[in-house]
Amino acid sequence: MERLMPPVALLLLCPLAAALSGAGRFWHITDLHWEPDYDAAAAAGQVCPSGGSRVDPAAGPWGSYVCDAPWRLLASAASAMRNRLPRPDFVLWTGDDTPHVPNEKLGEEKVLHIIENLTSLIKKTFPDTKVYAAMGNHDFHPKNQFPGKEHKIYNRTAELWRPWLNDASVALFRAGAFYSEKLPSPATKGRMVVLNTNLYYDKNDETADEEDPGGQFQWLEETLTNASRADEMVYIVGHVPPGFFEKKRGKPWFRSSFNERYLKIVEKHHRVIAAQFFGHHHTDTFRMFYSDTGSPINVMFLAPGVTPWKTTLPGVNNGANNPGIRVISYDPDTLQVLDMVTYYLNLTRANMMALTREEEFPTWEEEYRLTEAFQVPDGSVGSMQMVLEKISKDPHYLQKYHEFNSVRYDLTPCEEACCIDHVCAIREVDFTKYNECVKTSSSASAIVSVWLLLFSLLLGLLSPQQLL
């Protein structure tokens, strides 16, 4: 017997279907981390410099979980993007191109060579498409040490990206690697703001004593104010996000003063910020922003990386991921996110299949669609608050989110400590509130555990006759 969809579900889905029929779509890719010296057949299983002394006997032609991405994997991702959505409205590329190796194995010219090669790959894949590219903390030499002033790497990268930039953007990029441009469609009153948040990274010693590196905060405020006056909506794009890493408790990325100022800007200008798109984590997650009264006002989406590299950050368990790429559907009039579809490569399966048959590229599968997976109408701030509430209260949704977080690499149960780490990182981007969230949640969890222990001891003391 055919099951009919409930009327309420139909009412929820019909407006979405109508909206999606006129929706725009764009790609978001991040953290490609090309490993030029990858060699799956290397002796002793040490197949790449980014793996250090770690070995991987299961390494294959499409990559390894202890390594950054071989060129074949990046070409495969580009092919999948071209096949899935060959004519996007635009592409977001949020940085980190070089491998996780010591500075002495790189140098300015090698960093620029890698950026140039990946730029060429994206231009070849989407020759007539606008690309909004941001620099990642690894796209510099020495890594992380981005200055708030003109630099050779900024100048050379601006020239590589000149086909995607107007003259004003080239000048801004040379001065600090940030810029803003209108979205390409004349029918869209939208603007892209591309930030260099590497200036705020807590590993960046160049800007540690500065209040506003490169004047980017002041420029951002002016840009958002002007957008409001022009009745434009804005997407903010960058690499290193504010807040905390959900896979390592208490690990922030920004210096405290920079984190606080960024939050104040988002709160002040949230009405013109339609959404924010960042990378850096290599994981699939999001961050909520709230007003002083606790109302949700904005959302930041963190896309999974293409590199499968297992992080060496101490204290992180199962810190690898399957390669992921993402399509975002949006309303061209308001820039509201309508839906997101994440595609992924099951790296283990792809390498196993390569042993039995030759194929030009393996299949990138649809991992999930946001609205279907979490049963929400769209990707708006209100909907993402609903997703957060489902994750925090329903073990089924928590586990689903947890598996998506690593692009189906880590399928272990997300238990109490894991839940606290993820929920507090999503909910609280502010340093003080995050620490309070972790402390309060951990205390509540401990109290529940004590009561369960006492209850079980009490049951053990009672005889079967007393229980009847």
Side-chain angles (χ1 to χ4, degrees):
M1 182 177 176
E2 186 178 359
R3 294 179 62 189
L4 296 175
M5 184 175 287
V8 174
L10 283 170
L11 285 172
L12 281 172
L13 291 174
C14 284
L16 177 63
L20 286 176
S21 64
R25 291 191 295 171
F26 62 89
W27 281 107
H28 182 190
I29 54 169
T30 193
D31 294 271
L32 276 62
H33 287 289
W34 177 30
E35 175 72 90
D37 299 318
Y38 181 84
D39 180 7
Q46 294 185 355
V47 298
C48 61
S50 61
S53 60
R54 298 180 294 180
V55 299
D56 183 9
W62 302 110
S64 161
Y65 291 112
V66 304
C67 297
D68 278 315
W71 186 260
R72 287 186 71 181
L73 174 59
L74 299 178
S76 168
S79 174
M81 292 169 71
R82 186 167 54 243
N83 291 336
R84 292 282 186 175
L85 181 62
R87 297 187 62 82
D89 292 353
F90 51 88
V91 175
L92 301 185
W93 175 25
T94 51
D96 261 12
D97 305 334
T98 70
H100 294 84
V101 296
N103 283 319
E104 54 266 26
K105 291 195 174 184
L106 290 168
E108 286 187 358
E109 288 305 318
K110 192 160 187 179
V111 167
L112 287 164
H113 169 75
I114 289 172
I115 295 173
E116 181 178 11
N117 275 270
L118 294 182
T119 300
S120 296
L121 177 65
I122 293 171
K123 284 179 180 175
K124 182 179 177 182
T125 306
F126 299 107
D128 302 314
T129 301
K130 179 82 168 181
V131 177
Y132 299 97
M135 298 192 82
N137 58 293
H138 282 265
D139 302 331
F140 202 81
H141 184 79
K143 70 183 73 171
N144 309 320
Q145 306 309 313
F146 285 72
K149 58 187 178 184
E150 189 168 346
H151 189 277
K152 172 184 174 182
I153 291 179
Y154 293 170
N155 290 337
R156 294 269 296 275
T157 303
E159 288 307 309
L160 291 172
W161 294 351
R162 183 177 280 275
W164 302 328
L165 301 171
N166 62 33
D167 290 343
S169 294
V170 169
L172 271 171
F173 197 98
R174 287 176 177 274
F178 53 86
Y179 61 97
S180 174
E181 295 199 8
K182 289 185 176 182
L183 291 179
S185 171
T188 300
K189 292 200 75 173
R191 174 169 293 276
M192 193 71 68
V193 173
V194 180
L195 298 179
N196 178 8
T197 52
N198 308 294
L199 298 174
Y200 311 139
Y201 195 19
D202 62 6
K203 290 185 178 180
N204 186 349
D205 298 325
E206 290 288 317
T207 60
D209 299 323
E210 299 180 31
E211 286 187 14
D212 184 8
Q216 183 174 226
F217 280 133
Q218 181 180 343
W219 171 85
L220 177 59
E221 291 236 42
E222 291 170 356
T223 301
L224 294 174
T225 297
N226 292 336
S228 178
R229 289 171 180 162
D231 198 26
E232 294 175 336
M233 292 300 290
V234 168
Y235 285 147
I236 294 181
V237 174
H239 181 72
V240 179
F244 290 79
F245 187 28
E246 72 277 3
K247 292 181 77 73
K248 181 174 172 63
R249 184 171 296 184
K251 171 56 187 168
W253 304 117
F254 282 19
R255 295 187 187 275
S256 177
S257 61
F258 296 149
N259 198 83
E260 183 178 355
R261 186 159 180 188
Y262 186 89
L263 286 179
K264 286 181 178 177
I265 290 173
V266 171
E267 183 173 353
K268 178 180 177 182
H269 297 277
H270 70 90
R271 289 179 182 83
V272 299
I273 305 170
Q276 305 170 65
F277 301 94
F278 281 68
H280 187 60
H281 285 205
H282 301 190
T283 59
D284 180 353
T285 186
F286 63 101
R287 298 292 179 264
M288 297 299 301
F289 294 74
Y290 300 92
S291 67
D292 285 340
T293 58
S295 299
I297 56 173
N298 217 259
V299 61
M300 175 183 287
F301 296 99
L302 305 184
V306 175
T307 182
W309 182 78
K310 183 177 288 186
T311 180
T312 55
L313 192 64
V316 177
N317 295 317
N318 288 333
N321 57 279
N322 280 306
I325 53 179
R326 171 171 288 166
V327 171
I328 292 103
S329 300
Y330 70 104
D331 183 331
D333 294 326
T334 64
L335 297 198
Q336 179 176 300
V337 174
L338 299 175
D339 211 347
M340 297 192 309
V341 181
T342 303
Y343 301 95
Y344 82 115
L345 182 68
N346 184 320
L347 188 58
T348 302
R349 187 187 305 148
N351 282 334
M352 288 179 64
M353 295 289 285
L355 295 173
T356 58
R357 68 181 187 189
E358 277 289 326
E359 55 182 349
E360 184 181 8
F361 292 121
T363 301
W364 287 65
E365 308 167 60
E366 180 177 319
E367 184 193 17
Y368 76 100
R369 182 179 294 271
L370 174 70
T371 53
E372 291 178 1
F374 293 102
Q375 292 297 293
V376 289
D378 50 41
S380 65
V381 176
S383 291
M384 296 313 296
Q385 179 65 26
M386 288 170 60
V387 174
L388 173 55
E389 289 169 3
K390 290 183 179 192
I391 291 169
S392 62
K393 296 173 183 176
D394 187 329
H396 165 72
Y397 283 109
L398 172 65
Q399 186 60 30
K400 181 181 285 193
Y401 156 81
H402 182 246
E403 293 180 8
F404 293 157
N405 180 253
S406 64
V407 200
R408 298 188 188 274
Y409 171 80
D410 182 2
L411 305 181
T412 60
C414 185
E415 297 175 336
E416 286 182 10
C418 166
C419 178
I420 292 168
D421 289 343
H422 283 272
V423 169
C424 289
I426 295 170
R427 180 177 287 148
E428 304 297 357
V429 181
D430 176 83
F431 282 17
T432 302
K433 290 179 180 177
Y434 170 85
N435 290 327
E436 289 172 355
C437 178
V438 170
K439 184 178 179 181
T440 303
S441 302
S442 300
S443 299
S445 176
I447 291 168
V448 171
S449 298
V450 169
W451 275 108
L452 287 173
L453 177 62
L454 290 173
F455 184 66
S456 62
L457 288 172
L458 178 62
L459 287 178
L461 292 171
L462 295 174
S463 66
Q465 288 79 9
Q466 288 171 304
L467 291 172
L468 292 174

